Amino acid sequence: MNMLLKALFATAGICAVTYAQAATVTIATVNNSDMIRMQRLSKTFEEQHPDIKLSWVVLEENVLRQRLTTDIATQGGQFDVLTIGMYETGLWGAKGWLEPMKDLPADYDVNDLFPSVREGLSVKGTLYALPFYAESSITYYRKDLFKDAGLTMPEQPTWEQLGEFAAKLHHPDKDQYGICLRGKAGWGENMALIGTMANAFGARWFDEKWQPEFTGPEWTKAANFYVDTMKKYGPPGASSNGFNENLALFNSGKCALWVDASVAGSFTTDKSQSKVADQVGFAASPTQVTDKGSSWLYAWSLAIPSSSKNKEAAQSFVTWATSKQYATLVADKEGIANVPPGTRKSTYSEAYMQAAPFAKVSLSMLEKADPAHPAAKPVPYVGIQYVTIPEFQAIGTSVGKLFSAALTGQMPVQQALQAAQQSTSREMKRAGYPK
């Protein structure tokens, strides 16, 4: 309170009361359903912490990544909490751009976090982000449509089998499409799905000498399968569809098959959101010639940039939002099946497993995902649906645009692959690989 106000209060005979100004924590997050729920439930945090005010910036996935990358690289300090994944955490933590997550309260129980998630968010044993939810990829399908068509989904399908199922279940005249897959360009959008598909076909991003292999037989088979299947049996406008768009299509009953993030399980079975909640089946993410790298591993996590001016308040929020207490709050308010999955061993209680029909296959995929061995052939990198090098964000997005162009018919698949080979080779040479 300034001196003038104090003087006015004194003149009026009013006792001056000093009010501490609340710290404003600006949170940048993605427009996924779990994050929107977190924003809604964060009123509880603000009630518990009247000295902290939360300000939200909720963005589409590609836009979020661009904004955060620019801000962190320039040390812009626009945000106090960043929603990022394993890819960014390892790279940015190593550069000193993120605050280490130290001095966490005992009841946070770091040892309850799955080891693969902790390792993916750590640099030399130090956590640089706390996981909000973790996911692999699984296959969603309509049990009623399969039964009517006399089809049986294997526990472990192949991509070729899914293509055959899609052909039999594709009825666009009824607004029913055989299969829905990501088509929106982006390293974390279409390339997350296409990357794991390519792995299943035996492909890899780079050989042991850091040379890309897009014109090889494995990528060629995977890319042709993807484009052919989506053109024949996918929904119209698929090149604009990412996770959220395909979730909406599936929940409205327009997709017979969908392969995507395991985190969608609770939303496909929520009757308030899904018209087909009682008819959803779950299977493993498809393989083809190998199961190595056929399902991804990712964790949307909360980190604090070193440029934050409210680090202490930010850590209070990040700790709360990723805690067991938050999981209990979600279970109480939204139902136990809606607890953010994939991060904590304690989540997978008997009650959760019974309430969440997707939990068994999701947990199995999470446990099998191995970022250190993502391909059938040896690779010089870590990461399943991404490559943990700084150059990958630009490379993956560039290649994603080419696949999107092939999907829309702007160029043949082979031309897209040749262009991907040339642009990636050029970028890697410019960056000084092999190192």
Side-chain angles (χ1 to χ4, degrees):
M1 187 177 296
N2 61 39
M3 297 301 294
L4 177 59
L5 284 176
K6 286 183 178 179
L8 288 172
F9 279 132
T11 302
I14 301 172
C15 293
V17 180
T18 301
Y19 294 95
Q21 187 174 359
T24 298
V25 174
T26 303
I27 303 160
T29 195
V30 67
N31 63 342
N32 287 353
S33 299
D34 276 290
M35 304 306 185
I36 293 169
R37 178 185 288 134
M38 174 177 65
Q39 181 182 4
R40 186 172 66 249
L41 294 180
S42 66
K43 292 176 183 177
T44 299
F45 173 84
E46 290 182 299
E47 290 169 0
Q48 296 171 351
H49 299 80
D51 57 332
I52 299 175
K53 179 183 177 182
L54 304 179
S55 176
W56 294 83
V57 179
V58 183
L59 301 167
E60 185 269 332
E61 190 167 327
N62 283 337
V63 177
L64 175 76
R65 290 193 169 109
Q66 291 167 0
R67 287 276 300 274
L68 297 190
T69 300
T70 299
D71 189 65
I72 198 83
T74 61
Q75 295 291 286
Q78 291 184 52
F79 309 109
D80 300 298
V81 175
L82 313 177
T83 304
I84 58 176
M86 292 178 170
Y87 169 76
E88 297 95 342
T89 302
L91 293 174
W92 297 355
K95 287 180 177 290
W97 292 350
L98 302 175
E99 287 294 301
M101 293 294 178
K102 295 180 178 179
D103 302 320
L104 297 170
D107 64 357
Y108 186 81
D109 193 4
V110 172
N111 292 327
D112 187 43
L113 300 176
F114 283 115
S116 60
V117 175
R118 285 179 60 185
E119 290 165 12
L121 298 173
S122 298
V123 177
K124 296 181 179 179
T126 298
L127 272 168
Y128 280 89
L130 298 181
F132 184 73
Y133 71 74
E135 63 185 29
S136 187
S137 48
I138 65 174
T139 302
Y140 300 89
Y141 67 98
R142 288 277 300 282
K143 293 187 292 185
D144 54 335
L145 300 182
F146 266 66
K147 183 179 179 181
D148 292 345
L151 302 173
T152 302
M153 174 65 77
E155 286 187 15
Q156 177 61 81
T158 65
W159 278 111
E160 188 175 324
Q161 285 175 318
L162 291 195
E164 293 170 356
F165 294 149
K168 294 177 180 178
L169 297 171
H170 186 61
H171 300 292
D173 55 318
K174 300 178 182 178
D175 212 16
Q176 177 185 309
Y177 305 103
I179 192 166
C180 292
L181 301 174
R182 296 187 187 191
K184 182 186 291 184
W187 73 265
E189 282 281 7
N190 63 343
M191 292 315 299
L193 185 282
I194 296 170
T196 52
M197 181 187 291
N199 292 340
F201 275 80
R204 53 187 174 175
W205 275 91
F206 301 100
D207 68 15
E208 293 165 282
K209 296 182 179 180
W210 288 103
Q211 296 298 320
E213 294 194 321
F214 291 106
T215 53
E218 296 89 354
W219 267 106
T220 300
K221 289 177 183 177
N224 277 299
F225 175 85
Y226 169 76
V227 172
D228 289 347
T229 303
M230 286 295 286
K231 281 186 174 181
K232 291 177 181 176
Y233 314 122
S239 63
S240 298
N241 294 344
F243 171 81
N244 285 333
E245 292 80 8
N246 281 322
L247 173 60
L249 284 169
F250 190 86
N251 279 353
S252 64
K254 295 181 179 180
C255 301
L257 288 164
W258 178 36
V259 180
D260 213 300
S262 57
V263 73
S266 64
F267 302 108
T268 63
T269 54
D270 182 347
K271 291 182 180 179
S272 69
Q273 300 184 46
S274 174
K275 293 181 180 179
V276 296
D278 293 329
Q279 299 297 338
V280 183
F282 309 93
S285 186
T287 62
Q288 189 59 30
V289 301
T290 181
D291 63 354
K292 285 186 176 293
S294 62
S295 58
W296 68 62
L297 178 65
Y298 194 75
W300 276 117
S301 307
L302 303 179
I304 302 167
S306 57
S307 56
S308 168
K309 298 176 180 63
N310 296 294
K311 295 183 178 69
E312 187 175 339
Q315 180 150 335
S316 294
F317 174 75
V318 168
T319 303
W320 174 83
T322 60
S323 67
K324 291 181 180 180
Q325 289 78 12
Y326 178 80
T328 301
L329 177 65
V330 174
D332 291 344
K333 299 283 187 180
E334 311 274 333
I336 191 171
N338 292 307
V339 169
T343 62
R344 291 183 173 274
K345 302 169 195 173
S346 58
T347 297
Y348 292 83
S349 63
E350 183 177 347
Y352 177 77
M353 297 297 281
Q354 289 180 353
F358 49 86
K360 182 179 179 181
V361 65
S362 297
L363 182 60
S364 174
M365 291 292 96
L366 282 164
E367 291 174 340
K368 288 180 180 178
D370 183 3
H373 302 91
K377 298 176 183 178
V379 296
Y381 56 85
V382 174
I384 298 173
Q385 77 282 18
Y386 57 82
V387 178
T388 311
I389 57 174
E391 297 76 16
F392 180 75
Q393 187 164 344
I395 289 171
T397 296
S398 175
V399 173
K401 289 177 180 177
L402 292 167
F403 273 93
S404 186
L407 184 58
T408 59
Q410 296 177 48
M411 64 175 66
V413 172
Q414 199 57 41
Q415 183 182 344
L417 290 169
Q418 289 170 351
Q421 181 74 15
Q422 292 170 359
S423 64
T424 305
S425 296
R426 185 169 57 248
E427 185 65 31
M428 293 298 283
K429 185 177 181 180
R430 184 184 296 130
Y433 290 82
K435 292 182 177 180

